[in-house]
Amino acid sequence: MTYQAPVRDILFTLEHVCGLEALEETGAFTDLSPDLVRAIITEAGKFTTQELAPLNRTGDLHGSTLVDGIVTTAPGFKQAYTKFVEGGWQGLSFAEAEGGMGLPGVLGVAFMEMLQAANMAFGLGPMLTMGAIEVLIQAGTEQQKQTWLPKLITGEWSASMNLTEPNAGSDVGALRTSASPQADGSFRLKGQKIFITWGEHDCTENIVHLVLARTDDAPAGTKGLSLFLVPKFLEDAAGNFTVRNDAFAIGLEHKLGIHGSPTCVMEYGGSTGAIGWLVGPEMRGMAMMFIMMNSARLNVGAQGVGIAERAWQQAFSYAQERVQGRIAGQGPQPSAIIHHPDVRRMLVDTKAKIAAARAIVYACGLAADMARVGTTEKQRDMAKRREDLLTPMAKSYGSDIGVEVASIGLQIHGGAGFIEETGAAQHYRDARIAPIYEGTNGIQAMDFAGRKLGLQNGLLFDEMIADIHETATACRAAQNTQIEQIANPLQRAAQVMEETVNWMADPARKPEDVLTGATAFQALSCEVIGAHYLAKAALSAVRLVGTKGVNTGFLQGKIELAHYFAMSVLPSVAGRAKQVTIGAAAIFSLDEANLAP
Amino acid sequence: MTYQAPVRDILFTLEHVCGLEALEETGAFTDLSPDLVRAIITEAGKFTTQELAPLNRTGDLHGSTLVDGIVTTAPGFKQAYTKFVEGGWQGLSFAEAEGGMGLPGVLGVAFMEMLQAANMAFGLGPMLTMGAIEVLIQAGTEQQKQTWLPKLITGEWSASMNLTEPNAGSDVGALRTSASPQADGSFRLKGQKIFITWGEHDCTENIVHLVLARTDDAPAGTKGLSLFLVPKFLEDAAGNFTVRNDAFAIGLEHKLGIHGSPTCVMEYGGSTGAIGWLVGPEMRGMAMMFIMMNSARLNVGAQGVGIAERAWQQAFSYAQERVQGRIAGQGPQPSAIIHHPDVRRMLVDTKAKIAAARAIVYACGLAADMARVGTTEKQRDMAKRREDLLTPMAKSYGSDIGVEVASIGLQIHGGAGFIEETGAAQHYRDARIAPIYEGTNGIQAMDFAGRKLGLQNGLLFDEMIADIHETATACRAAQNTQIEQIANPLQRAAQVMEETVNWMADPARKPEDVLTGATAFQALSCEVIGAHYLAKAALSAVRLVGTKGVNTGFLQGKIELAHYFAMSVLPSVAGRAKQVTIGAAAIFSLDEANLAP
């Protein structure tokens, strides 16, 4: 089977877990209503399921080809991209004044989940274009906006994001690409960038490269970096974009997965110098890049959820079809493997984790919207704090779950899962990049345990923990046995989280001790906050029982998942806390010579 | 970098963790001495490192090809196989009387780890040949032994193991391949087998297929199965093996990994019927197959350790070379990433897990030897119980660690890890099959929590738990602060394990509740027993300090690893125990309709 967008789960998460209503109440989105949300998500589900999902394996098999600087994408990609433009999907969450649909960003996140699930290699192009649009909206000059935004927002043009160089991945301060100012106010760029997603392709007429580079005499390190807009085609005298810029793909990477996505080695200024313009102030390249990165981090979280959902659906379907082995006490006939406890356990466990990750990702998207359109400063500030807290969690938990579920999905297939034709292996390969790009999950953990914990004296965490306690209290009063059973584990887990926060935030703590525990701290927080959102889902489900048009079994399922997660995942939190506080000595006392084989 | 066999770690594990001495004391292996062991392991390390490791990527890139029933392996494989035969490695652990080196099986397991690490695709051939040799030694007729064993033991001929059919993977009872008796005592086989590892290739002159099939009128299910020996070439009148049997490869699978290993679809009796002979009694095919499976399960555990070690070495080496980012408080110059706490943590964590898995696998191998050559019945019985307990653990923990470490190894490489040329991705792909074949790890858990727990009223577990308590007591008296700190966590973990054993073994427990918790029970036991072996390693290290020729830093490293594992992994055991006892209702209450998207 191929992918079927989980419209029912997505809508439930938006409306009854994250509280989309709050966004409707701000009045910032004129026509926003439950009916509109339903219509948009349903349509997005149809588009991704019908047009993009069937091309997923095609992209994997054919990849892209590069001949003389020209990249040709896999069969069907160009046609599907045309439909993507026709649907106006690139502009979903951008203002109508800018040519978009004027919908909230969180709906863009939900769309992103479906897009990535349907076809991760395809979806990466629009994901990066989205980040570039954000930068131009927030920091572009009026002329830049007028020139580049309209066709980026329709999707007629795409964008790429150029950070990495052969010697500088996560350490952007070491970048060497240079930008020399010209008399006309433009710059000439020179340098090589690697791992450039959709850096060159045949789906759009033009490509807008956003490139981090160092101006002449700029200081070393990150503070000397500036961001430049370098189009593939420059404007000619007649106002058409026909002049080829000196920005070429000179190589395509051979990757483990996402073969359909052209990952380019880009050469800027190989002959005459690539013409570009500064975006935002000089030396503020990092700030510009963080606008893109924040958009991309959240979307990579959505991508992880998407690939997990797709892998899960395939494993679920296989488990229903594959008849093998008998069930103890149920006669001699063989049974579908979904009835075998260990297979069932894997399916329930992964479904619960996907639901938790989806809730964290969407909650982050909603907070980002509220931070922008909240009606009071207090509301906006609070939402901003929540967005800041959840962004590294969304990225890391979503992408980690993506890999975990893809791996278990393959396992459920048994030997067939290892055969490429089955398709489960592609998810396992594709998913593996998400914990790496847009800042490795280790770097997310440094952001989470370092910068985010330091903001406003830990207020981001205090507010979240208070929310979790509130949810635990509500569970206790739910008048539903399963939900009541969640209350104590959730409360205890929140206490453990609070203890680890206090340990990490202790001013006497050495940085290396904080960094040693950062990944465990992030993982622990994701599990506790995931349980909190699943509990909120269960509480909503109880309230909704009896509502016309809502399936009672579906609601009961939300209660079961929250209960399972609380009983199965939350008990691991205390153990993780010991990893948080283990201290740097535990890993550095083994010196390199004795660590070696 | 490529692979360097970890000879020092392997010898330490054999001698000072598993207690190879006990085997020497039996006198069953005439020349067995520490010097001989050291010589053999060193030589095996050289052979695998120098001859096989460099071909690992070649195998991945070229795979095998099938043209007109003839399979050609990747460039270099045939030549390397010749050297494998010249070294006599196939016969390492078989009796000298049978043409082998007459060394213990546990040395064969250590060799297997190195073989698989160096080249997993190559190593699979010898692994399966080994299992076939075991079957023939234990159950072959005198004539079968004389005809087939000598050239199998030299490695001049190879063997394959034929269970799976399109409709029957783990459920061997559903097999359909038929075997009809002939007047001359032979059988004619007819049927198709899939996923046949090294079923056809160009490295040996003959291939001995062991095939599960159903004789005419045999009952349905597993009890109607018999095992047959079906050679590729039959003996001609002159006593040469020149007569092509009707046993052909008709397809090669396109797999996620181990591309260098030809995974064949085999057709038996497509025209005239494949000629074969019964091995062991009719209807006893399952018992025969279990001889092969037990050998293979332990070796797959060794394989998981091997691939983990290889992935680890590559990540370690990259982390030492890759300079990026500054260390807080250590000046402005960038540092090798091994000094970043999160990277260091990943390296230490995975190294500790590899050491734990290696100890479990070797301890199982040693127990298997002692079960055969122990000097008293009591000693043999006890060793047999230990072998039975550890076999599913060795298979599942070794293979799970293989996937985990390969994934983290890739992560440590950052973006470069996702590029195929780096090589980290190959390990991630190759490792993924090990938790599936030779019985999925879920099936190992059923064996562990079902059959093994039921044997002799739980004595296998009681003895193990008593051993762990003994180790904890020894740690308490170690006069070494770090080791003393292991005592309490280890003791508590043993108590938790005991509680889960009691819960699982409760006669009132429903089978579905046991099966729901089986995987967590197995994982928990592996962690506790892994910690126990690491603690034993640390205790040995303390004893050995000051011994001539033994590096003190190396010994201190063993103490650090045991301490890290106890502080980081053991705290998760209590959480896992909750998963063991969660009960079937937690996963079955969500019915299929509501589990669906």
Side-chain angles (χ1 to χ4, degrees):
Chain A
M1 73 156 281
T2 179
Y3 168 73
Q4 186 75 41
V7 168
R8 195 167 63 154
D9 277 338
I10 288 176
L11 286 169
F12 184 87
T13 309
L14 287 170
E15 294 173 349
H16 303 298
V17 184
C18 301
L20 193 63
E21 215 176 25
L23 215 49
E24 290 162 15
E25 283 165 5
T26 64
F29 303 96
T30 34
D31 297 327
L32 191 64
S33 70
D35 283 348
L36 179 66
V37 170
R38 185 164 297 268
I40 290 285
I41 296 295
T42 304
E43 197 55 35
K46 252 189 227 163
F47 169 68
T48 53
T49 300
Q50 293 172 2
E51 302 295 339
L52 300 180
L55 290 175
N56 194 46
R57 185 157 156 76
T58 311
D60 189 52
L61 283 175
H62 293 268
S64 302
T65 50
L66 168 67
V67 178
D68 297 335
I70 293 168
V71 171
T72 307
T73 54
F77 270 45
K78 198 173 151 75
Q79 292 79 349
Y81 192 86
T82 304
K83 289 184 183 161
F84 170 78
V85 173
E86 283 166 9
W89 296 110
Q90 186 73 65
L92 181 74
S93 56
F94 296 108
E96 286 176 282
E98 284 152 353
M101 290 193 201
L103 291 164
V106 67
L107 295 191
V109 173
F111 172 68
M112 197 54 75
E113 181 201 315
M114 293 182 266
L115 178 68
Q116 303 293 338
N119 197 320
M120 184 166 159
F122 180 98
L124 276 165
M127 180 195 284
L128 290 172
T129 300
M130 202 165 178
I133 294 171
E134 287 283 0
V135 172
L136 289 175
I137 288 177
Q138 289 188 41
T141 63
E142 268 319 300
Q143 203 199 326
Q144 283 172 344
K145 289 185 191 181
Q146 280 172 25
T147 309
W148 307 109
L149 272 183
K151 292 207 166 182
L152 285 173
I153 287 177
T154 60
E156 287 164 280
W157 294 350
S158 75
S160 80
M161 179 170 171
N162 296 247
L163 285 86
T164 309
E165 296 178 10
N167 270 308
S170 301
D171 181 11
V172 275
L175 296 177
R176 291 175 193 164
T177 295
S178 65
S180 303
Q182 306 295 306
D184 64 355
S186 72
F187 287 77
R188 288 293 177 287
L189 278 85
K190 222 175 169 54
Q192 207 181 88
K193 295 283 180 177
I194 60 170
F195 299 160
I196 307 308
T197 299
W198 285 83
E200 176 59 39
H201 61 87
D202 58 353
C203 293
T204 61
E205 290 159 22
N206 204 355
I207 302 172
V208 176
H209 306 292
L210 293 187
V211 184
L212 265 194
R214 207 175 289 282
T215 45
D216 298 347
D217 308 320
T222 53
K223 60 182 180 296
L225 295 170
S226 306
L227 186 69
F228 296 88
L229 186 158
V230 183
K232 176 177 172 183
F233 283 104
L234 301 154
E235 210 170 352
D236 61 21
N240 298 314
F241 290 79
T242 59
V243 183
R244 189 66 169 91
N245 202 353
D246 187 10
F248 289 93
I250 57 168
L252 284 181
E253 302 287 1
H254 303 105
K255 307 185 302 293
L256 172 63
I258 49 168
H259 294 160
S261 166
T263 304
C264 303
V265 179
M266 295 297 296
E267 172 102 62
Y268 291 99
S271 56
T272 55
I275 297 172
W277 295 273
L278 197 57
V279 178
E282 195 176 343
M283 314 292 178
R284 295 287 293 156
M286 286 307 290
M288 299 301 107
M289 205 41 96
F290 273 118
I291 299 172
M292 292 185 82
M293 291 277 285
N294 270 337
S295 159
R297 286 202 286 175
L298 177 54
N299 283 329
V300 170
Q303 178 175 71
V305 173
I307 196 82
E309 173 72 32
R310 183 174 190 144
W312 188 91
Q313 287 188 15
Q314 185 161 352
F316 175 72
S317 169
Y318 184 82
Q320 286 187 307
E321 289 160 15
R322 175 73 170 169
V323 171
Q324 197 171 194
R326 284 169 302 188
I327 306 295
Q330 297 195 7
Q333 75 290 359
S335 164
I337 62 171
I338 195 170
H339 302 299
H340 289 290
D342 198 56
V343 173
R344 184 69 152 234
R345 176 193 61 75
M346 288 192 270
L347 286 168
V348 172
D349 189 72
T350 46
K351 188 172 177 87
K353 286 172 178 167
I354 293 169
R358 179 179 288 128
I360 288 173
V361 169
Y362 290 13
C364 182
L366 192 98
D369 283 323
M370 286 298 284
R372 204 159 42 89
V373 305
T375 47
T376 63
E377 193 180 342
K378 192 182 154 197
Q379 201 181 37
R380 290 191 298 273
D381 287 351
M382 208 167 150
K384 176 72 178 133
R385 287 194 293 273
R386 185 56 50 94
E387 180 197 359
D388 282 347
L389 180 78
L390 294 180
T391 300
M393 297 175 67
K395 196 277 174 176
S396 62
Y397 194 59
S399 60
D400 280 342
I401 288 299
V403 174
E404 181 180 341
V405 178
S407 184
I408 291 173
L410 191 155
Q411 182 75 18
I412 289 172
H413 283 79
F418 200 66
I419 305 302
E420 284 288 358
E421 282 82 350
T422 309
Q426 185 188 344
H427 308 319
Y428 176 74
R429 291 187 284 101
D430 286 353
R432 194 61 192 79
I433 188 59
I436 295 173
Y437 58 18
E438 309 304 343
T440 65
N441 287 0
I443 288 179
Q444 304 303 323
M446 287 169 69
D447 176 44
F448 185 70
R451 211 174 75 79
K452 297 304 167 59
L453 189 55
L455 289 176
Q456 299 182 50
N457 202 22
L459 184 58
L460 286 60
F461 288 77
D462 296 344
E463 284 173 343
M464 188 77 232
I465 290 167
D467 280 6
I468 303 170
H469 280 299
E470 200 178 289
T471 300
T473 304
C475 287
R476 197 164 287 120
Q479 311 247 346
N480 172 299
T481 313
Q482 280 180 297
I483 300 183
E484 287 165 31
Q485 286 174 357
I486 297 171
N488 282 339
L490 186 58
Q491 190 185 335
R492 275 199 303 274
Q495 284 160 355
V496 171
M497 184 176 161
E498 195 170 358
E499 287 158 22
T500 58
V501 166
N502 293 338
W503 189 91
M504 296 296 260
D506 187 333
R509 194 71 53 213
K510 290 183 197 147
E512 60 267 33
D513 289 330
V514 168
L515 292 172
T516 300
T519 287
F521 179 52
Q522 181 173 252
L524 178 158
S525 303
C526 290
E527 286 169 348
V528 178
I529 294 170
H532 153 81
Y533 284 121
L534 291 188
K536 281 173 76 93
L539 288 163
S540 291
V542 165
R543 272 198 305 275
L544 288 165
V545 166
T547 309
K548 212 180 147 218
V550 186
N551 182 296
T552 307
F554 172 75
L555 296 172
Q556 181 59 28
K558 299 297 168 199
I559 300 170
E560 304 284 358
L561 278 187
H563 185 257
Y564 170 83
F565 197 89
M567 297 302 134
S568 178
V569 177
L570 283 185
S572 69
V573 162
R576 282 218 198 266
K578 300 283 185 189
Q579 296 177 340
V580 175
T581 60
I582 197 167
I587 55 171
F588 282 98
S589 55
L590 196 60
D591 67 24
E592 270 179 74
N594 299 322
L595 194 55
Chain B
M1 74 156 279
T2 178
Y3 167 74
Q4 187 76 41
V7 168
R8 193 167 65 152
D9 277 338
I10 287 176
L11 285 170
F12 184 87
T13 309
L14 286 169
E15 294 173 348
H16 303 297
V17 184
C18 301
L20 193 63
E21 214 177 27
L23 215 49
E24 290 162 14
E25 283 165 6
T26 64
F29 303 96
T30 34
D31 297 325
L32 190 65
S33 70
D35 284 347
L36 178 67
V37 170
R38 186 164 297 266
I40 290 285
I41 297 294
T42 304
E43 197 53 36
K46 256 190 225 160
F47 169 68
T48 53
T49 300
Q50 293 172 2
E51 303 294 340
L52 300 180
L55 290 175
N56 194 45
R57 184 156 157 76
T58 312
D60 189 52
L61 283 174
H62 293 268
S64 302
T65 50
L66 168 68
V67 177
D68 297 336
I70 293 169
V71 170
T72 307
T73 53
F77 270 45
K78 196 174 153 75
Q79 292 81 347
Y81 191 86
T82 304
K83 289 183 183 163
F84 170 79
V85 173
E86 284 166 10
W89 296 110
Q90 186 73 65
L92 181 74
S93 55
F94 295 107
E96 286 176 282
E98 285 152 353
M101 291 193 201
L103 290 164
V106 67
L107 295 190
V109 172
F111 172 69
M112 197 54 76
E113 181 202 315
M114 293 182 266
L115 178 69
Q116 303 293 337
N119 199 320
M120 184 166 158
F122 180 98
L124 276 165
M127 180 194 284
L128 291 172
T129 300
M130 201 163 177
I133 295 171
E134 287 284 0
V135 173
L136 290 175
I137 288 177
Q138 290 188 41
T141 62
E142 267 319 301
Q143 201 199 328
Q144 283 172 344
K145 288 184 193 183
Q146 281 171 23
T147 309
W148 308 107
L149 271 184
K151 291 207 167 182
L152 284 172
I153 287 176
T154 60
E156 288 163 281
W157 292 350
S158 75
S160 80
M161 179 170 171
N162 297 248
L163 285 85
T164 309
E165 296 177 10
N167 270 309
S170 301
D171 182 12
V172 277
L175 296 176
R176 291 175 193 164
T177 295
S178 65
S180 304
Q182 306 295 307
D184 64 357
S186 72
F187 286 78
R188 288 293 176 285
L189 278 84
K190 221 174 168 57
Q192 207 181 88
K193 295 283 180 178
I194 59 171
F195 300 160
I196 307 309
T197 299
W198 286 83
E200 176 59 37
H201 61 86
D202 58 353
C203 292
T204 60
E205 291 160 21
N206 204 356
I207 303 171
V208 176
H209 306 291
L210 293 187
V211 185
L212 267 193
R214 207 174 289 282
T215 43
D216 299 348
D217 307 321
T222 53
K223 58 183 183 295
L225 294 170
S226 307
L227 186 70
F228 297 88
L229 186 157
V230 183
K232 176 177 172 183
F233 283 105
L234 301 155
E235 209 170 354
D236 61 22
N240 299 314
F241 290 80
T242 58
V243 183
R244 190 66 170 92
N245 202 353
D246 187 10
F248 289 93
I250 57 167
L252 284 181
E253 302 288 0
H254 304 106
K255 307 186 300 294
L256 172 63
I258 48 168
H259 294 159
S261 165
T263 304
C264 303
V265 179
M266 296 296 298
E267 173 101 63
Y268 290 98
S271 56
T272 55
I275 297 172
W277 295 273
L278 198 56
V279 178
E282 196 176 343
M283 313 291 178
R284 295 288 293 157
M286 285 307 289
M288 298 302 107
M289 204 41 93
F290 272 118
I291 298 172
M292 292 187 82
M293 290 278 283
N294 269 338
S295 160
R297 284 202 287 175
L298 177 53
N299 284 330
V300 170
Q303 179 174 71
V305 173
I307 195 83
E309 174 72 31
R310 182 173 190 144
W312 188 90
Q313 287 188 15
Q314 186 161 352
F316 175 71
S317 171
Y318 184 82
Q320 287 187 306
E321 289 160 15
R322 174 73 169 168
V323 171
Q324 198 171 194
R326 284 169 303 188
I327 306 296
Q330 296 195 9
Q333 74 290 359
S335 164
I337 62 172
I338 195 170
H339 302 299
H340 289 289
D342 198 57
V343 172
R344 183 71 152 234
R345 175 193 62 74
M346 288 191 270
L347 286 169
V348 172
D349 189 72
T350 46
K351 188 172 177 87
K353 285 172 179 169
I354 293 169
R358 178 179 288 128
I360 288 174
V361 169
Y362 290 13
C364 183
L366 191 100
D369 282 323
M370 287 296 285
R372 204 158 44 88
V373 305
T375 48
T376 63
E377 191 180 344
K378 193 182 156 201
Q379 200 180 37
R380 290 191 298 273
D381 286 351
M382 209 166 150
K384 175 74 178 130
R385 288 194 293 272
R386 186 55 51 94
E387 180 197 359
D388 283 346
L389 180 78
L390 293 180
T391 300
M393 297 175 67
K395 197 277 174 177
S396 62
Y397 194 59
S399 60
D400 280 342
I401 288 298
V403 174
E404 182 181 342
V405 178
S407 183
I408 290 174
L410 192 155
Q411 182 76 18
I412 289 172
H413 284 79
F418 200 66
I419 305 301
E420 284 287 358
E421 281 83 350
T422 309
Q426 185 189 342
H427 307 319
Y428 176 74
R429 290 187 285 100
D430 286 353
R432 194 60 192 82
I433 188 59
I436 295 174
Y437 58 19
E438 308 304 344
T440 65
N441 287 359
I443 288 178
Q444 304 303 323
M446 287 169 67
D447 176 45
F448 185 71
R451 211 175 74 81
K452 298 303 167 60
L453 189 55
L455 288 176
Q456 298 182 51
N457 202 22
L459 184 58
L460 286 60
F461 288 77
D462 295 345
E463 284 173 341
M464 188 77 231
I465 290 167
D467 279 5
I468 303 170
H469 280 298
E470 201 177 288
T471 301
T473 303
C475 287
R476 197 163 288 120
Q479 310 246 348
N480 173 300
T481 313
Q482 280 181 297
I483 300 182
E484 286 165 31
Q485 285 173 358
I486 297 172
N488 282 339
L490 186 59
Q491 191 186 335
R492 275 200 303 275
Q495 284 160 355
V496 171
M497 183 175 161
E498 194 170 358
E499 286 159 20
T500 58
V501 166
N502 292 339
W503 189 92
M504 294 297 260
D506 186 333
R509 194 72 53 211
K510 289 181 196 149
E512 60 267 33
D513 289 329
V514 169
L515 293 172
T516 299
T519 287
F521 179 53
Q522 181 171 254
L524 177 158
S525 303
C526 289
E527 286 169 350
V528 179
I529 295 169
H532 152 81
Y533 284 120
L534 291 188
K536 281 173 77 91
L539 288 164
S540 292
V542 165
R543 272 197 305 274
L544 289 166
V545 167
T547 309
K548 213 180 144 215
V550 186
N551 182 296
T552 307
F554 172 74
L555 296 173
Q556 181 60 26
K558 299 297 169 199
I559 299 170
E560 304 284 357
L561 279 186
H563 185 256
Y564 171 83
F565 197 89
M567 297 303 135
S568 179
V569 177
L570 283 185
S572 69
V573 162
R576 281 218 197 267
K578 299 283 185 187
Q579 296 176 341
V580 175
T581 60
I582 197 167
I587 55 170
F588 281 98
S589 55
L590 197 58
D591 68 23
E592 268 178 77
N594 300 323
L595 194 55

